[in-house]
Amino acid sequence: MQFNVVKWEKIWWSISAILCILSVVAMVVSYTTIGTPLRPSIDFVGGTRLQLELDCSVEGNCDRPLTTNQVREVLEGQNLANSSVQIVGDEQRSLSIRTQTLDVEARTRLAEALTQEIGAFDPESQQIDTVGPSIGQELFTSGILALLVSFFGIVVYLSIRFKTDYAFFAVLALLHDALIALGFFAVLGLTIGVEVDTLFLVAILTIIGFSVNDTVVIYDRIREISKDEHIDAETMNETIVIAVNQTLTRSINTSLTTVLPLVAIFLFGGETLKYFALALIVGFLAGSYSSIFVASTLLGWWRKTINKNKSVAVS
């Protein structure tokens, strides 16, 4: 018994359209709210980030979890009211503050004020990162350039290996996967303050590579089965169904064996890799979906359409 992916193609397209529209809406809302489609980290905008953790060796210091309100009161007293505050950790004993660029004296004053108003912080777990605005802009420009170069390379490769319409729908699937990942993190940025950094750009590049690999496997099977470029609609539907079923097990197994380690990294890998892994999970799942249900059926629809038009023109 074969899974007929073509039979429900409009449902697959509708699901993808809804997800893409929601992603665009999320980024628009983010842009109108914070001025950017995604909440950027100091990697891109520059500034100082302080990561502090309460010292639980001090008696009574960790009796109550941290709250953003008490941290903001301290920041307002230091004329840093526009800073971003995020409480991290399951027990809410750690905090991350992103603010304007601070010199050593200003950082010392802030740390002393936090200790006085909130409690003692563990000096060994303290992390301070400072990035200048010019470096942040350079990192952002380099990241965008890397994305554009990768898309161009993929288009050239697919156009050479396949025909132009294959390349077009494969790139459309890549845009679909990247857009869903972007929209997902736009929502996270609005709801829980998740920021995107250079690792996120690496995740997007990795998602693109994974997605195009999965799509190429299916397209290879379609090309091998469909020797005649001018087959009728019924034969084209059968070709798509056969190609998807022949590669379905491989696609699912590849996705599972890739996503499961990422889930482990997301759960146990720490704050640095947590959202990098989450971006890959979302992108890989979207990539598997688009390769099986969207890229294949769109190519089949297009081939049926142009062959039908050619038949009408000849008659």
Side-chain angles (χ1 to χ4, degrees):
M1 183 177 179
Q2 290 188 327
F3 171 62
N4 192 340
V5 67
V6 177
K7 182 178 180 181
W8 309 102
E9 60 183 15
K10 292 183 179 179
I11 294 179
W12 316 136
W13 299 344
S14 299
I15 293 173
S16 291
I18 291 171
L19 291 175
C20 289
I21 291 171
L22 290 176
S23 296
V24 172
V25 169
M27 287 190 285
V28 170
V29 172
S30 177
Y31 184 82
T32 57
T33 304
I34 61 176
T36 54
L38 302 172
R39 188 180 295 274
S41 72
I42 63 170
D43 288 357
F44 300 132
V45 298
T48 298
R49 178 172 55 198
L50 294 88
Q51 292 181 285
L52 306 169
E53 184 177 350
L54 289 173
D55 187 355
C56 294
S57 64
V58 178
E59 185 177 355
N61 200 46
C62 297
D63 291 347
R64 293 180 299 176
L66 294 170
T67 64
T68 55
N69 289 336
Q70 62 182 157
V71 178
R72 288 194 180 280
E73 288 178 3
V74 177
L75 292 171
E76 289 174 3
Q78 299 291 314
N79 297 319
L80 300 171
N82 293 328
S83 304
S84 172
V85 179
Q86 186 177 3
I87 307 299
V88 297
D90 295 335
E91 298 179 346
Q92 296 185 317
R93 294 174 180 172
S94 303
L95 64 90
S96 176
I97 301 172
R98 194 191 75 187
T99 184
Q100 65 193 46
T101 303
L102 303 176
D103 56 25
V104 176
E105 183 180 350
R107 293 201 301 264
T108 302
R109 287 199 307 268
L110 176 58
E112 290 176 350
L114 289 168
T115 300
Q116 182 178 353
E117 297 295 330
I118 298 176
F121 291 91
D122 184 1
E124 294 184 0
S125 63
Q126 178 176 301
Q127 296 183 23
I128 300 175
D129 303 311
T130 299
V131 177
S134 59
I135 297 176
Q137 184 63 38
E138 183 179 341
L139 287 171
F140 178 76
T141 303
S142 299
I144 296 300
L145 181 62
L147 287 173
L148 293 176
V149 169
S150 66
F151 267 106
F152 177 76
I154 289 170
V155 170
V156 172
Y157 166 74
L158 291 176
S159 298
I160 294 174
R161 180 165 181 175
F162 301 103
K163 292 186 178 295
T164 306
D165 52 356
Y166 281 80
F168 175 79
F169 289 113
V171 171
L172 192 64
L174 300 185
L175 293 173
H176 164 278
D177 306 336
L179 183 59
I180 289 176
L182 292 170
F184 185 80
F185 271 77
V187 173
L188 292 182
L190 288 170
T191 54
I192 58 176
V194 173
E195 301 172 347
V196 297
D197 54 14
T198 50
L199 274 179
F200 181 75
L201 289 179
V202 174
I204 295 297
L205 288 169
T206 308
I207 290 167
I208 291 172
F210 176 87
S211 179
V212 73
N213 175 69
D214 215 18
T215 303
V216 164
V217 171
I218 296 176
Y219 279 2
D220 260 335
R221 295 302 303 142
I222 293 175
R223 185 177 60 175
E224 290 173 7
I225 298 171
S226 174
K227 299 298 183 181
D228 183 5
E229 294 289 334
H230 306 291
I231 57 179
D232 57 40
E234 183 177 350
T235 306
M236 190 66 205
N237 287 342
E238 293 177 358
T239 299
I240 300 297
V241 171
I242 294 171
V244 168
N245 278 274
Q246 287 181 351
T247 57
L248 187 61
T249 301
R250 176 197 178 280
S251 297
I252 293 175
N253 289 340
T254 302
S255 299
L256 284 177
T257 54
T258 307
V259 168
L260 288 177
L262 291 173
V263 172
I265 294 174
F266 174 72
L267 295 175
F268 309 110
E271 291 297 323
T272 304
L273 296 176
K274 181 177 181 179
Y275 291 108
F276 171 70
L278 182 59
L280 291 178
I281 292 170
V282 173
F284 286 178
L285 292 177
S288 296
Y289 176 83
S290 66
S291 298
I292 297 170
F293 299 103
V294 179
S296 60
T297 54
L298 281 176
L299 177 66
W301 165 80
W302 173 251
R303 282 301 173 103
K304 288 181 290 185
T305 301
I306 60 175
N307 288 339
K308 180 179 179 181
N309 293 335
K310 287 180 180 178
S311 298
V312 171
V314 171
S315 60

